[in-house]
Amino acid sequence: MQHAFIIGGTGMLRDVSVWLSKKYSHTSILARNKERLTQLSESGTGLNLLSLDYKKTEALKEAVREAINMHGPIDVMVTWIHSNAPHAIPAILKEVRANQKEPFDFYHIKGSSESLKSIQSQVSLPSHCTKHDIQLGFMVGEQRSRWLTHHEISEGVIDAIKDGKKKTVIGQLEPWGLRP
Ligand SMILES: NC(=O)c1ccc[n+]([C@@H]2O[C@H](COP(=O)([O-])OP(=O)(O)OC[C@H]3O[C@@H](n4cnc5c(N)ncnc54)[C@H](OP(=O)(O)O)[C@@H]3O)[C@@H](O)[C@H]2O)c1
Protein backbone atom coordinates (compact mmCIF):
# COMPACT_ATOMS: atom_id res chain seq x y z
CA MET A 1 0.00 0.00 0.00
CA GLN A 2 1.31 3.46 -0.84
CA HIS A 3 0.02 6.59 0.76
CA ALA A 4 0.53 10.27 -0.09
CA PHE A 5 -0.84 13.04 2.15
CA ILE A 6 -1.21 16.63 0.89
CA ILE A 7 -2.33 19.60 2.95
CA GLY A 8 -3.64 22.63 1.03
CA GLY A 9 -4.00 20.56 -2.14
CA THR A 10 -7.09 22.19 -3.67
CA GLY A 11 -5.73 25.63 -4.70
CA MET A 12 -2.44 26.32 -6.45
CA LEU A 13 -1.39 22.70 -5.68
CA ARG A 14 -4.42 21.11 -7.32
CA ASP A 15 -2.30 19.58 -10.11
CA VAL A 16 0.03 18.13 -7.47
CA SER A 17 -2.98 16.42 -5.83
CA VAL A 18 -4.03 14.99 -9.20
CA TRP A 19 -0.48 13.76 -9.92
CA LEU A 20 -0.17 12.15 -6.48
CA SER A 21 -3.55 10.45 -6.86
CA LYS A 22 -2.36 8.77 -10.06
CA LYS A 23 0.98 7.72 -8.58
CA TYR A 24 -0.09 6.49 -5.14
CA SER A 25 -2.73 3.88 -4.31
CA HIS A 26 -4.04 6.12 -1.51
CA THR A 27 -3.96 9.93 -1.44
CA SER A 28 -5.24 11.93 1.51
CA ILE A 29 -6.07 15.54 0.55
CA LEU A 30 -6.83 18.04 3.30
CA ALA A 31 -8.49 21.48 2.86
CA ARG A 32 -11.64 23.12 4.23
CA ASN A 33 -13.91 23.66 1.23
CA LYS A 34 -15.87 20.43 0.55
CA GLU A 35 -16.91 21.43 -2.95
CA ARG A 36 -13.34 22.01 -4.09
CA LEU A 37 -12.32 18.71 -2.51
CA THR A 38 -15.14 16.85 -4.22
CA GLN A 39 -14.08 18.31 -7.57
CA LEU A 40 -10.91 16.24 -7.17
CA SER A 41 -12.76 12.97 -6.67
CA GLU A 42 -12.63 12.01 -10.34
CA SER A 43 -8.91 12.63 -10.66
CA GLY A 44 -7.86 9.25 -9.34
CA THR A 45 -8.81 6.29 -7.20
CA GLY A 46 -8.15 5.76 -3.51
CA LEU A 47 -8.80 9.37 -2.52
CA ASN A 48 -9.32 10.23 1.13
CA LEU A 49 -10.85 13.73 1.10
CA LEU A 50 -10.54 15.48 4.45
CA SER A 51 -12.52 18.68 4.99
CA LEU A 52 -10.84 20.26 7.97
CA ASP A 53 -9.34 23.51 9.26
CA TYR A 54 -5.65 22.90 9.98
CA LYS A 55 -5.75 25.54 12.72
CA LYS A 56 -7.78 23.03 14.76
CA THR A 57 -4.74 21.13 15.95
CA GLU A 58 -6.48 18.26 17.76
CA ALA A 59 -8.74 17.55 14.77
CA LEU A 60 -5.71 17.72 12.48
CA LYS A 61 -3.81 15.19 14.59
CA GLU A 62 -6.82 12.89 14.60
CA ALA A 63 -7.13 13.14 10.82
CA VAL A 64 -3.46 12.20 10.34
CA ARG A 65 -3.78 9.30 12.79
CA GLU A 66 -6.94 7.95 11.15
CA ALA A 67 -5.47 8.30 7.66
CA ILE A 68 -2.46 6.19 8.68
CA ASN A 69 -4.69 3.59 10.37
CA MET A 70 -7.03 3.33 7.39
CA HIS A 71 -4.70 3.81 4.42
CA GLY A 72 -1.33 2.69 5.69
CA PRO A 73 1.90 4.49 6.59
CA ILE A 74 2.50 7.77 4.80
CA ASP A 75 5.23 7.62 2.14
CA VAL A 76 5.12 11.26 1.12
CA MET A 77 3.68 14.28 2.91
CA VAL A 78 3.31 17.63 1.08
CA THR A 79 2.32 20.70 3.09
CA TRP A 80 1.29 24.23 2.09
CA ILE A 81 0.27 25.76 5.41
CA HIS A 82 -0.13 29.47 6.11
CA SER A 83 1.78 31.11 8.95
CA ASN A 84 -1.49 31.62 10.85
CA ALA A 85 -1.28 27.94 11.88
CA PRO A 86 2.14 27.70 13.59
CA HIS A 87 1.20 24.54 15.49
CA ALA A 88 0.08 22.52 12.49
CA ILE A 89 3.39 21.16 11.19
CA PRO A 90 4.86 20.19 14.59
CA ALA A 91 1.55 18.45 15.41
CA ILE A 92 1.52 16.56 12.10
CA LEU A 93 5.12 15.39 12.49
CA LYS A 94 4.49 14.31 16.08
CA GLU A 95 1.47 12.31 15.00
CA VAL A 96 3.31 10.58 12.16
CA ARG A 97 6.20 9.80 14.51
CA ALA A 98 3.78 8.23 17.00
CA ASN A 99 1.86 6.16 14.46
CA GLN A 100 4.31 4.77 11.94
CA LYS A 101 7.83 3.41 11.98
CA GLU A 102 8.19 3.42 8.21
CA PRO A 103 10.32 6.23 6.71
CA PHE A 104 8.60 9.09 4.92
CA ASP A 105 9.49 12.14 2.82
CA PHE A 106 8.18 15.48 4.00
CA TYR A 107 7.94 18.27 1.38
CA HIS A 108 7.51 21.62 3.12
CA ILE A 109 6.39 24.40 0.78
CA LYS A 110 7.02 27.97 1.89
CA GLY A 111 6.28 31.40 0.47
CA SER A 112 8.84 33.74 -1.05
CA SER A 113 9.61 35.85 2.01
CA GLU A 114 10.52 32.98 4.34
CA SER A 115 14.15 32.21 5.02
CA LEU A 116 14.97 28.53 4.43
CA LYS A 117 17.39 28.60 7.37
CA SER A 118 14.74 29.84 9.78
CA ILE A 119 12.28 27.26 8.46
CA GLN A 120 14.75 24.45 9.02
CA SER A 121 15.47 25.49 12.59
CA GLN A 122 11.76 25.72 13.47
CA VAL A 123 10.86 22.11 12.78
CA SER A 124 11.90 19.18 14.93
CA LEU A 125 12.07 16.14 12.70
CA PRO A 126 11.36 12.50 13.52
CA SER A 127 14.43 10.36 12.79
CA HIS A 128 12.64 8.44 10.02
CA CYS A 129 11.62 11.64 8.21
CA THR A 130 13.53 13.11 5.27
CA LYS A 131 12.68 16.78 4.96
CA HIS A 132 12.64 18.62 1.65
CA ASP A 133 12.17 22.40 1.54
CA ILE A 134 10.47 23.98 -1.44
CA GLN A 135 10.43 27.75 -1.61
CA LEU A 136 8.27 29.74 -4.02
CA GLY A 137 10.11 32.49 -5.86
CA PHE A 138 9.26 34.76 -8.78
CA MET A 139 10.00 34.97 -12.50
CA VAL A 140 11.99 37.72 -14.16
CA GLY A 141 11.26 38.56 -17.79
CA GLU A 142 12.82 41.17 -20.07
CA GLN A 143 10.30 43.87 -19.16
CA ARG A 144 9.15 43.00 -15.67
CA SER A 145 9.05 40.38 -12.95
CA ARG A 146 5.98 38.47 -11.86
CA TRP A 147 4.86 35.92 -9.28
CA LEU A 148 4.55 32.25 -10.23
CA THR A 149 1.43 30.88 -11.88
CA HIS A 150 -0.41 27.94 -10.33
CA HIS A 151 0.85 25.77 -13.18
CA GLU A 152 4.48 26.76 -12.53
CA ILE A 153 4.07 26.14 -8.79
CA SER A 154 2.51 22.70 -9.24
CA GLU A 155 5.02 21.66 -11.92
CA GLY A 156 7.88 22.84 -9.71
CA VAL A 157 6.57 20.86 -6.74
CA ILE A 158 6.09 17.72 -8.85
CA ASP A 159 9.66 18.05 -10.21
CA ALA A 160 10.97 18.54 -6.66
CA ILE A 161 9.24 15.34 -5.53
CA LYS A 162 10.61 13.45 -8.55
CA ASP A 163 14.14 14.81 -7.91
CA GLY A 164 14.00 14.22 -4.16
CA LYS A 165 16.40 17.13 -3.54
CA LYS A 166 16.59 18.60 -0.05
CA LYS A 167 16.14 22.20 -1.21
CA THR A 168 14.31 23.57 -4.21
CA VAL A 169 13.53 27.14 -5.21
CA ILE A 170 10.80 27.42 -7.84
CA GLY A 171 11.66 30.41 -10.00
CA GLN A 172 14.19 32.71 -8.32
CA LEU A 173 14.58 34.62 -5.05
CA GLU A 174 17.70 36.61 -5.89
CA PRO A 175 18.18 39.43 -6.40
CA TRP A 176 15.29 40.00 -3.97
CA GLY A 177 15.01 43.61 -5.13
CA LEU A 178 13.73 42.39 -8.51
CA ARG A 179 10.63 40.79 -7.01
CA PRO A 180 7.28 42.04 -8.43
N1 LIG B 1 5.94 33.19 -4.95
C1 LIG B 1 4.74 33.07 -5.49
O1 LIG B 1 4.61 33.19 -6.69
C2 LIG B 1 3.60 32.79 -4.60
C3 LIG B 1 3.79 32.43 -3.27
C4 LIG B 1 2.68 32.19 -2.47
C5 LIG B 1 1.40 32.31 -2.99
N2 LIG B 1 1.26 32.66 -4.28
C6 LIG B 1 -0.06 32.84 -4.89
O2 LIG B 1 -0.93 33.33 -3.90
C7 LIG B 1 -2.17 32.74 -4.10
C8 LIG B 1 -2.86 32.60 -2.77
O3 LIG B 1 -2.30 31.52 -2.09
P1 LIG B 1 -3.21 30.79 -1.04
O4 LIG B 1 -2.36 29.88 -0.26
O5 LIG B 1 -4.03 31.77 -0.29
O6 LIG B 1 -4.30 30.01 -1.90
P2 LIG B 1 -4.38 28.56 -2.53
O7 LIG B 1 -3.54 28.43 -3.70
O8 LIG B 1 -5.79 28.34 -2.76
O9 LIG B 1 -3.88 27.52 -1.41
C9 LIG B 1 -4.45 27.38 -0.16
C10 LIG B 1 -4.79 25.90 0.07
O10 LIG B 1 -4.79 25.65 1.46
C11 LIG B 1 -6.12 25.37 1.90
N3 LIG B 1 -6.29 26.04 3.17
C12 LIG B 1 -6.15 27.37 3.42
N4 LIG B 1 -6.38 27.61 4.73
C13 LIG B 1 -6.68 26.40 5.30
C14 LIG B 1 -7.03 26.01 6.62
N5 LIG B 1 -7.12 26.88 7.63
N6 LIG B 1 -7.25 24.69 6.86
C15 LIG B 1 -7.17 23.80 5.86
N7 LIG B 1 -6.84 24.11 4.58
C16 LIG B 1 -6.61 25.41 4.31
C17 LIG B 1 -7.02 25.89 0.79
O11 LIG B 1 -8.27 25.25 0.74
P3 LIG B 1 -9.56 25.80 1.57
O12 LIG B 1 -9.58 27.29 1.37
O13 LIG B 1 -10.71 25.07 1.02
O14 LIG B 1 -9.30 25.44 3.00
C18 LIG B 1 -6.18 25.55 -0.43
O15 LIG B 1 -6.25 24.18 -0.71
C19 LIG B 1 -1.95 31.42 -4.82
O16 LIG B 1 -2.97 31.25 -5.70
C20 LIG B 1 -0.59 31.57 -5.48
O17 LIG B 1 -0.69 31.75 -6.86
C21 LIG B 1 2.33 32.91 -5.09
Side-chain angles (χ1 to χ4, degrees):
M1 213 153 47
Q2 277 197 310
H3 188 183
F5 198 121
I6 179 165
I7 297 185
T10 57
M12 65 187 196
L13 297 180
R14 191 182 185 284
D15 290 353
V16 179
S17 297
V18 172
W19 180 77
L20 289 171
S21 70
K22 295 189 191 311
K23 184 171 159 63
Y24 290 87
S25 48
H26 298 273
T27 303
S28 298
I29 306 172
L30 189 148
R32 290 164 302 183
N33 186 298
K34 282 186 185 158
E35 206 177 311
R36 290 210 294 173
L37 279 166
T38 311
Q39 284 166 5
L40 280 164
S41 56
E42 284 176 14
S43 64
T45 53
L47 292 187
N48 177 31
L49 303 175
L50 300 164
S51 171
L52 184 77
D53 185 339
Y54 53 53
K55 292 199 289 299
K56 296 182 178 168
T57 308
E58 285 310 312
L60 176 63
K61 284 164 67 177
E62 192 181 331
V64 171
R65 186 165 61 245
E66 274 185 14
I68 294 170
N69 288 340
M70 289 178 65
H71 304 292
I74 293 167
D75 298 281
V76 59
M77 165 84 72
V78 180
T79 64
W80 170 238
I81 294 180
H82 295 162
S83 56
N84 63 3
H87 304 298
I89 287 179
I92 291 162
L93 292 176
K94 197 173 170 195
E95 209 55 34
V96 178
R97 176 191 284 158
N99 287 280
Q100 74 176 57
K101 292 188 173 59
E102 293 79 357
F104 69 105
D105 288 287
F106 169 45
Y107 288 86
H108 189 183
I109 303 169
K110 299 295 289 187
S112 308
S113 58
E114 301 270 356
S115 139
L116 276 184
K117 275 190 185 152
S118 76
I119 298 159
Q120 281 161 346
S121 60
Q122 280 163 21
V123 182
S124 154
L125 293 177
S127 57
H128 58 321
C129 167
T130 303
K131 184 162 184 282
H132 309 261
D133 291 300
I134 302 176
Q135 192 155 16
L136 305 179
F138 52 87
M139 305 296 263
V140 179
E142 279 181 25
Q143 304 289 329
R144 60 180 184 93
S145 63
R146 60 170 177 80
W147 297 111
L148 302 166
T149 64
H150 288 195
H151 180 72
E152 286 164 346
I153 292 170
S154 278
E155 285 298 305
V157 171
I158 291 168
D159 286 345
I161 297 172
K162 285 180 182 167
D163 289 348
K165 285 192 294 191
K166 292 279 182 72
K167 284 183 198 171
T168 301
V169 175
I170 304 175
Q172 67 184 71
L173 287 167
E174 300 290 342
W176 182 237
L178 282 185
R179 71 190 182 283

